[in-house]
Amino acid sequence: MKYLHAMIRVHDLEKTSRFFTEGLGLKQTRRMDNEAGRYTLVYFGAPENPEAEIELTYNWPPEDGSAPEDYGSARNFGHLAFEVDDIYAICAHLQSMGVTINRPPRDGRMAFVRTPDLISIELLQKGQALPPAEPWASMPNTGTW
């Protein structure tokens, strides 16, 4: 058996793709547009293990003009987790892109953010936790993750 990918449905493919590429540094590995099925699949992999992918599924808007399906924020999915070289740097970078740091890395070890489609992302410091540092050490939690 071989693990292949995790799939998440998105409403804004470009915005979520930007989150994963420019925000987290993942690379797009492939893309498939299916005219007949009216959907697009885009796959992303982390530089250190690109074979374990995230699949974004974008279902095209209904042809009849009705509202797209509401995916909600199902908590049974849980989260995706990424090991990062510098948790403070990635949180500062995401914050500069307008991403809310829901659970700041107060401990120098763990943080949570959410994608534009409200998928929780856990960021874990590679190796030992970094020493506590501001502004993270005194930053409160924001929202849910």
Side-chain angles (χ1 to χ4, degrees):
M1 184 183 317
K2 178 182 175 183
Y3 173 78
L4 296 176
H5 65 265
M7 182 274 273
I8 55 176
R9 290 180 179 86
V10 301
H11 286 293
D12 189 328
L13 183 58
E14 296 312 311
K15 193 172 184 178
T16 304
S17 293
R18 183 173 176 260
F19 173 87
F20 283 111
T21 57
E22 293 179 31
L24 294 179
L26 274 61
K27 305 293 182 201
Q28 181 177 320
T29 57
R30 55 198 164 110
R31 178 186 179 120
M32 183 184 80
D33 295 304
N34 186 308
E35 290 265 344
R38 299 189 43 76
Y39 64 86
T40 299
L41 305 178
V42 184
Y43 294 83
F44 298 87
E48 290 188 30
N49 61 333
E51 70 284 354
E53 297 173 309
I54 294 172
E55 171 194 320
L56 301 185
T57 296
Y58 173 69
N59 293 305
W60 301 356
E63 291 181 287
D64 65 5
S66 62
E69 180 182 349
D70 179 10
Y71 302 134
S73 58
R75 298 296 293 164
N76 61 337
F77 173 77
H79 63 267
L80 303 173
F82 294 94
E83 181 180 70
V84 299
D85 289 329
D86 183 333
I87 198 160
Y88 297 143
I90 190 96
C91 285
H93 174 67
L94 289 167
Q95 197 172 45
S96 78
M97 292 177 59
V99 174
T100 299
I101 309 301
N102 301 101
R103 194 282 191 190
R106 288 183 293 275
D107 55 4
R109 173 84 183 126
M110 177 181 68
F112 274 89
V113 296
R114 294 178 92 183
T115 72
D117 287 284
L118 306 179
I119 302 297
S120 291
I121 305 291
E122 179 181 23
L123 304 171
L124 294 167
Q125 174 62 42
K126 185 176 185 177
Q128 297 295 316
L130 299 179
E134 293 298 339
W136 314 111
S138 59
M139 187 181 286
N141 293 341
T142 302
T144 60
W145 62 90

